[in-house]
Amino acid sequence: MAIRVAQIATGNAGAIALRHLIEDPRFELVGVWVHSADKAGRDAGELAGLGVDTGVTATTSAADIVAAAPDCVVYCAMSDTRPVEAARDIREYLAAGINVAGTAPTPLINPAAGVPDSARAKLEAAALEGGATLFVTGVDPGFTNDLLPLAITGTCREVRQVRCTEFSDYATYDSTESMVDVMGFGTPLDQTPLLFLPGVLTAGWGASIHLLAAGLGVEVDEITEHVEREPAPETYEVAACTIAEGTQAGFRFQITGMVAGEPVIVVEHVTRTRDDLRPDWPYAVQEGHSYRVEVIGEPSYVLDLAAQSADGDHNYSAILAGVGRVVNAVPAVVAAAPGLTTTLDLPLTGAPGIVGTR
């Protein structure tokens, strides 16, 4: 029997998830929630870019989603600028007995480390009240910070450091809220964007660092942050905004998990909007975007991962990968015991099958 699912939000990640849910025979789509009134009433197939009628129309009412009684919702709503509201949304679904698999809020990748005790207690109570399960993951934060490193280090005699790096060119990324309001592209360097306010990087990636540490059997004593921001050499346009000369055009940050005074887990992002920015910073193995997992140990490893898609560029491919991890986890989330789960709690899940054999 197909798993009844509903999609929450249809932005860059949500529209990709929606297509997956419609096309995957494991699922029966029963609802779509949207934020904007102009999407309300439109068919899910249109919102997913498929050009087909599914018979499921979008609503702006969470009550409509609850009334549709899905087994699971796939939660892809923006949470960076609305973490309290996102947590409230998820609690409502859990308390109603609806499992949640999501790409956000990212601290819920590891609730034990990423969420304050009071907020976590409310989520746990809602999950137990409804007999439902919560799982949040993605690509970075996500499987490049937990599944891949753990698979690699599982072959090692000893591990001294794990470094997870995202290399990205965001020139084609069209979310103004993420690009400008969160990451600060096109803003003056004397203004600190949301992402680089003290503690925000740790809030975003610290949960992943603690999760990987738990998988490695160590405890992180301290998390440190380091940021470099690069100004634009001239004024130019990107998909989301105008980047004026002298405003932020790129950045590089590191969040480091210290264990007994040593930098054992490092998450790094090298982000540009032009290929010629900061040639002294490292580059992706694939033009535009890739991920790298480095293990210093016995043996040592360097794994470069570059996603590609016939439907979009490197930014699309990265979102596709993160969303695919979430959607493919839905059956395991539905089958799991009620509560808040992480990658360490769920079985490894793969794609539904080879095309033509379903």
Side-chain angles (χ1 to χ4, degrees):
M1 181 181 295
I3 297 171
R4 293 169 58 84
V5 292
Q7 175 60 41
I8 307 302
T10 58
N12 284 329
I16 294 174
L18 183 58
R19 174 176 175 176
H20 193 156
L21 294 174
I22 292 170
E23 294 186 327
D24 193 323
R26 295 175 297 174
F27 306 120
E28 175 192 357
L29 185 70
V30 298
V32 179
W33 180 91
V34 292
H35 175 264
S36 58
D38 65 319
K39 291 184 179 180
R42 293 165 64 181
D43 190 89
E46 177 189 359
L47 294 174
L50 293 174
V52 299
D53 288 334
T54 65
V56 178
T57 56
T59 178
T60 57
S61 169
D64 289 344
I65 299 299
V66 173
D71 300 310
C72 187
V73 298
V74 174
Y75 191 87
C76 296
M78 178 66 173
S79 68
D80 291 343
T81 56
R82 48 184 299 277
V84 174
E85 294 84 354
R88 181 196 61 213
D89 294 345
I90 290 171
R91 289 199 308 270
E92 290 178 358
Y93 291 123
L94 292 173
I98 301 170
N99 300 287
V100 179
T103 59
T106 54
L108 292 176
I109 284 176
N110 182 12
V115 182
D117 290 345
S118 59
R120 185 172 67 253
K122 290 179 181 179
L123 285 165
E124 289 174 337
L128 294 177
E129 176 187 348
T133 303
L134 169 66
F135 177 62
V136 173
T137 190
V139 57
D140 187 331
F143 70 85
T144 61
N145 312 133
D146 50 51
L147 275 183
L148 290 183
L150 288 173
I152 296 170
T153 56
T155 71
C156 295
R157 186 179 71 215
E158 64 177 48
V159 174
R160 295 188 293 278
Q161 186 182 82
V162 178
R163 178 182 292 266
C164 307
T165 305
E166 178 190 88
F167 303 97
S168 54
D169 183 335
Y170 272 92
T172 63
Y173 191 55
D174 60 2
S175 171
T176 300
E177 186 173 15
S178 294
M179 286 285 288
V180 179
D181 299 340
V182 177
M183 292 188 280
F185 286 107
T187 63
L189 294 187
D190 61 359
Q191 296 180 10
T192 303
L194 174 63
L195 185 63
F196 302 137
L197 292 173
V200 172
L201 289 175
T202 298
W205 280 268
S208 285
I209 287 175
H210 283 287
L211 184 63
L212 179 53
L216 294 171
V218 298
E219 186 172 336
V220 170
D221 304 318
E222 178 188 12
I223 293 179
T224 64
E225 303 174 0
H226 176 75
V227 179
E228 297 178 58
R229 301 169 67 197
E230 181 66 14
E234 61 191 13
T235 298
Y236 59 96
E237 302 288 330
V238 295
C241 62
T242 298
I243 298 182
E245 180 179 354
T247 64
Q248 180 181 292
F251 60 76
R252 181 181 186 181
F253 67 71
Q254 292 183 353
I255 316 109
T256 303
M258 306 294 291
V259 178
E262 297 295 327
V264 171
I265 300 173
V266 181
V267 174
E268 178 179 38
H269 278 221
V270 180
T271 306
R272 299 177 173 90
T273 51
R274 277 181 25 168
D275 194 55
D276 61 345
L277 293 175
R278 290 302 295 264
D280 57 312
W281 288 352
Y283 283 87
V285 294
Q286 170 184 272
E287 182 178 354
H289 203 111
S290 73
Y291 297 91
R292 178 173 297 159
V293 178
E294 299 174 79
V295 175
I296 299 175
E298 282 297 332
S300 294
Y301 288 94
V302 177
L303 171 67
D304 284 299
L305 185 72
Q308 298 178 350
S309 170
D311 296 324
D313 69 357
H314 54 275
N315 283 315
Y316 177 92
S317 300
I319 299 171
L320 179 66
V323 167
R325 169 77 173 120
V326 171
V327 174
N328 284 324
V330 166
V333 172
V334 171
L340 312 184
T341 62
T342 74
T343 289
L344 301 180
D345 303 312
L346 296 182
L348 181 64
T349 55
I354 304 299
V355 173
T357 65
R358 298 174 184 171

